[in-house]
Amino acid sequence: MRHWVQTMALLAVGTPAMAQQLPLVPMPASVTPGTGMLTIGAGAGIVADARDKGAATAARLLAERVKVDRGLTLTTAATGPIRLNRDKSIKGDEAYRLVVTGEGATITASGDRGLIWGAMTLAQLLSPDAAFGRPVTLAAVTIDDAPRFRWRGLMMDVARHFQPIETLYPIVDTMAAQKLNTLHLHLTDDQGWRVEIKRYPDLTRIGGFRTPPSAGGAPGAKSGGFYTQDQLKALVAYAAARGIVVVPEIDLPGHAQAAVAAYPGEVGVLGDRPEVGHDWGIMPWLFSPAPRSMIFIKNVLDELVDIFPSEFIHVGGDEAVKDQWQRSPAVQAQMKALGLKTENQMQGWMIAELGKHLASKGRRLIGWDEILEGDVPTSASVMSWRGEKGAVEAANKGHDVVLSPAPNLYFDNLQSDRGDEPPGRIGVQTLEAVYNYDPQPAGIDPARLGHVLGAQANAWSEYLATARQKEHAIFPRLSALAEVTWSPKAARDWRGFVARLDPQMLRYRREGIAAADSAFAVNFRPQGTRGQALKAGRAVLAMDTQAATGTIRYTLDGKAPTAASRAYAAPLAVRVGQVVTAAAFTADGRTLAAPRRYDATRAAWLSAGASDFAACPKGALGLRVPLNEGQAEDAPAYNVNIFDTCTQWVAAPLGEAKAVAIEVVRLPRNYGLAHEESALRAHYAVTEHGELVVKAGGCDGRVVGTFPLPDPATAPNRFRVEAPVKGESGDADLCFQFTSPLADPFYAVGSATLEDRR
């Protein structure tokens, strides 16, 4: 019995409207509606020439994706409604044409990647909604498609927190499904060396494992890991079959502490042997530019070339403070012999030499934008991360460039200011902000725009310890980048993207991807201060979502809302004691995100958590950090200013309180600040380990409590103190200032609870 059928009907819809309706991310370059309808059900056949390996692979990937995303089993057969064909007239390896008629769906392309991307587009058309397992009826359409940029990438930082190889495979699958084609693996850094180099086994035996930082007391057991060459070759082959190239990165000359820990005599500058690093930031250890070190690095690159067939090999080049080179007579003598006047020129020489070596292997060197400071030849490609200035400069000089700027495409930035976000950088980059980014910055000579290869998101992992946390950070923002780098700029439409992202979020769930719902979660915006709410016995509460889609529905009794719950239309008065629970709903009654709660009880208004606090004057809360390095759970996490251990509860309702209980947390001070150490603010301590000084009325206000801090070596890293609050008649800032020595661990306030005066 045939499980697929064709029916004919008239499609009376214009191209723009149809494009809005298609459940596709990224949006194709050209969509032309046709006449007719095609229904695909379980058992539908995919016809591909078995002698054509690329077509057979695309057919298999199509069947796999539809099975996961829709629950339909498609089969390779001699006949059927789906066909994959070669067509040399379609120009470009990644271009394809998809034609859906009442008779069937045909994918044609000249290149293997084109066939894969066409198959992924059809897979998305076949998973348009929540009706898992049911046949799908497609409207007739012709899609002619090709990418805007050739580099559409994601960088996974597996050096800071090692990620098991099996957790990278779902990332590859999900990238391929949205036509992203470059996976950049950041394989080495101060905190770990993650790739097996057979000639130098200590790179992984020693450099692959580190002792975690301590917040006081004995350090924990070593952690880490590495990938064997066979594991990486298998991943490379898996990715290549899905149209994705894997670009490896060996970071040099800086971020070298793990390598120097393993082979100080071969690659170190001054002969010392540090431990593998556990601090985040910039460390002093560099690779030496001496012949012994250059031979070592070239040998490493040779093994890397054997593992990764990618056109580009990334050599880092970022954040290499040159103090070790400046203090080394041998390096200074080498610079003089080479006729170089600055250490940046020394780095440029080093990068150029490695570029020549890679060119001799048929490969191209790419590095972070600092390599421009060393006057490297235009054969070196540049990945611009310090904003867009490096990309503009590099392209105008004739370098190929990839846009990867911070903060725009740094996916370790939080996605919202909500207190339930996992750890990361606090410079919020919303889904919409990523979607609105364009990787062709102003300032590039129009004649040089061809040097812009594309764009890449970076998932740095200092604070992303688990695969789930990384997935939360990456998805669905990577869907936005997929559209930015594939679709024509003129076709970009935020509202249309949000509508098309709904079925993509369903696909993420079916694929087991822990995509963030931050853009769709309800945000609560209380009007006025907590003190005003406590006096009035009620608060005025506004609600919204970042994506501004769906209908917000809510309850006032703490129960989860349903599709029949009250719809939010305007700010509402919430009485003291009520608990608002809200979620945004689709037209068919599904929630777009997990329900969120706003607690309007007196106890809640008298309490504040870490995400409720602000920086002290002249400071900034830049990081949301976990209690322990490598922590698997999202909470507890604390918003901190690593340069100043001081925070405030702004407009705390002190007039309603008689005392304040403070949860104090002690965190590792594991930050490599290099030349920024001078920005650290020390507060004068009057006891051995410093104090917590609590002030009412701001950081220049009156002292309401001083608490000597315990010995970090013996005390727990969470404890509570309590201070009376007297003489305040209304709202006032409550300042928490720690005076612990800068050599001690870092302190923060986890929460503050006012004791009700009633």
Side-chain angles (χ1 to χ4, degrees), residues 17 42 45 56 131 141 176 232 247 279 283 291 302 323 334 391 406 432 443 476 531 542 549 586 622 629:
V141 66
L232 288 169
V247 174
D279 294 348
M283 308 306 294
D302 287 349
D323 300 67
Q334 184 179 2
E432 185 175 8
T549 190
T586 62
E629 189 268 338

Side-chain angles (χ1 to χ4, degrees), residues 723-735:
V725 177
K726 299 178 181 179
E728 300 295 333
S729 59
D731 297 336
D733 295 348
L734 197 59
C735 179

Side-chain angles (χ1 to χ4, degrees), residues 94 147-153 181-182 311-312 364-366 380-383 391 395 399-403 439-440 444 448-456 485:
E94 296 194 283
R148 181 184 178 198
F149 294 105
R150 60 171 286 198
W151 189 300
R152 307 180 303 281
N181 66 359
T182 305
E311 175 185 1
F312 291 92
R364 297 178 63 185
L365 179 146
I366 188 168
S381 300
V382 173
M383 190 167 280
H399 298 267
D400 285 344
V401 299
V402 175
L403 274 295
Q440 280 194 335
I444 297 180
R448 300 284 192 174
L449 285 175
H451 284 296
V452 178
L453 301 181
Q456 172 179 291
T485 53

Side-chain angles (χ1 to χ4, degrees), residues 458-537:
N458 294 332
W460 298 105
S461 70
E462 290 94 331
Y463 310 103
L464 303 175
T466 68
R468 182 207 161 279
Q469 289 171 341
K470 292 175 186 179
E471 289 174 0
H472 177 99
I474 293 166
F475 304 107
R477 289 187 290 189
L478 198 67
S479 296
L481 184 66
E483 186 141 313
V484 165
T485 53
W486 179 280
S487 305
K489 184 178 180 180
R492 297 250 293 279
D493 171 34
W494 165 244
R495 299 309 326 160
F497 171 75
V498 169
R500 289 179 281 108
L501 190 61
D502 178 44
Q504 181 56 45
M505 292 297 285
L506 290 171
R507 296 181 195 115
Y508 284 138
R509 291 176 203 168
R510 292 164 185 158
E511 294 159 9
I513 296 293
D517 65 0
S518 305
F520 308 98
V522 172
N523 300 305
F524 300 105
R525 313 287 186 191
Q527 313 296 299
T529 69
R530 297 178 185 220
Q532 291 168 341
L534 286 163
K535 286 183 182 299

Side-chain angles (χ1 to χ4, degrees), residues 417-418 522-534 538-544 568 571-574 580 597-600 604-605 607 612:
D417 58 3
R418 301 180 55 83
V522 172
N523 300 305
F524 300 105
R525 313 287 186 191
Q527 313 296 299
T529 69
R530 297 178 185 220
Q532 291 168 341
L534 286 163
R538 66 183 183 89
V540 177
L541 188 66
M543 292 183 271
D544 61 30
Y568 172 78
L572 60 139
V574 182
V580 183
R597 289 165 54 96
Y598 177 81
D599 192 339
W605 285 338
S607 299
D612 297 314

Side-chain angles (χ1 to χ4, degrees), residues 549-565:
T549 190
T551 300
I552 296 176
R553 297 187 180 276
Y554 66 94
T555 64
L556 297 175
D557 58 5
K559 294 180 180 179
T562 68
S565 298

Side-chain angles (χ1 to χ4, degrees), residues 213-219 664-669 687-691 708-719 738-747:
S214 172
V664 177
V665 296
R666 192 174 60 250
L667 309 166
R669 192 187 290 269
T687 59
E688 183 179 2
H689 297 289
E691 311 84 43
L709 297 170
D711 184 349
T714 57
N717 64 347
R718 282 198 282 188
F719 55 91
F738 293 95
T739 66
S740 53
L742 297 179
D744 278 6
F746 187 95
Y747 282 93

